[in-house]
Amino acid sequence: EYYSEDPFLAGKMAGALVKGVQSQGIGATVKHFACNNKETNRKNSDSRVSERAIREIYLKAFEIIVKEADPWAIMSSYNLINGHRASENKELLTDILRGEWGFKGVVTTDWWTKGEHYKETLAGNDIKMGTGYTERLMEAEEKGLITRKDLEICARRVLEALLKID
């Protein structure tokens, strides 16, 4: 999944691939966002990194891809980053990805994450793979932990992605 340890080279190569795939009317999903450092026990792995290292090393390739290739989708990673699940990380998925970089596509979790579905939704994950937990979302809504508006934001992004498909 990694073209290079150099974030500039990885971003440029992956961005070119995304452009090529999407030029054929097929959506590309860039993964694993972010700090996915290992395969063994990756659902419980906690990447402890400074903000500078995250931005200059781990996020830079993704930033290049988003800004230059406009991918239709990004998959969040399983791991924790500084004690917080990547899939539940609003700063990462909404503030940086969407706010700073202008990402317009959908964000999906990796398969069978350990993240709480409503927290992932609030963070900016639009799709829970390989299954969602609608009953948990409805329970969270009843408890006031998430609103219908929060759910509609995700639903809108999913529908916009579907409308791109030829």
Side-chain angles (χ1 to χ4, degrees):
E1 294 178 9
Y2 293 96
Y3 292 109
S4 169
E5 290 183 5
D6 179 274
F8 177 78
L9 181 59
K12 290 294 189 175
M13 291 173 63
L17 178 66
V18 167
K19 285 181 188 177
V21 169
Q22 292 185 170
S23 73
Q24 301 302 304
I26 300 166
T29 302
V30 181
K31 62 180 191 174
H32 290 101
F33 192 62
C35 303
N36 182 53
N37 290 330
K38 64 181 197 167
E39 290 300 307
T40 304
N41 195 31
R42 63 187 177 143
K43 290 185 181 182
N44 296 308
S45 171
D46 189 357
S47 301
R48 297 288 178 149
V49 285
S50 69
E51 182 174 355
R52 180 177 178 183
I54 288 173
R55 287 187 175 271
E56 291 180 4
I57 299 169
Y58 295 99
L59 298 185
K60 183 54 75 177
F62 289 99
E63 180 181 9
I64 292 167
I65 297 163
V66 167
K67 290 181 175 179
E68 294 184 7
D70 192 25
W72 293 4
I74 289 184
M75 178 182 280
S76 60
S77 54
Y78 284 123
N79 57 291
L80 291 90
I81 303 171
N82 296 327
H84 302 282
R85 294 211 168 275
S87 64
E88 296 176 354
N89 191 323
K90 186 174 190 270
E91 181 181 14
L92 182 68
L93 303 178
T94 298
D95 299 346
I96 295 172
L97 181 61
R98 289 194 167 99
E100 290 181 28
W101 301 346
F103 178 68
K104 302 291 185 225
V106 296
V107 177
T108 178
T109 68
D110 206 336
W111 286 76
W112 306 102
T113 63
K114 289 188 173 185
E116 179 59 50
H117 195 161
Y118 84 89
K119 290 180 182 178
E120 291 171 330
T121 302
L122 289 172
N125 262 297
D126 303 303
I127 302 169
K128 175 103 172 167
M129 298 300 282
T131 185
Y133 297 102
T134 54
E135 69 283 353
R136 307 260 306 253
L137 285 173
M138 296 302 100
E139 182 181 330
E141 184 184 27
E142 289 169 11
K143 291 179 178 179
L145 300 172
I146 192 169
T147 67
R148 180 179 175 96
K149 177 75 173 162
D150 296 320
L151 298 170
E152 288 172 352
I153 290 168
C154 293
R156 180 181 185 91
R157 288 192 291 244
V158 170
L159 293 172
E160 287 171 348
L162 290 172
L163 291 173
K164 290 181 183 179
I165 299 170
D166 286 340

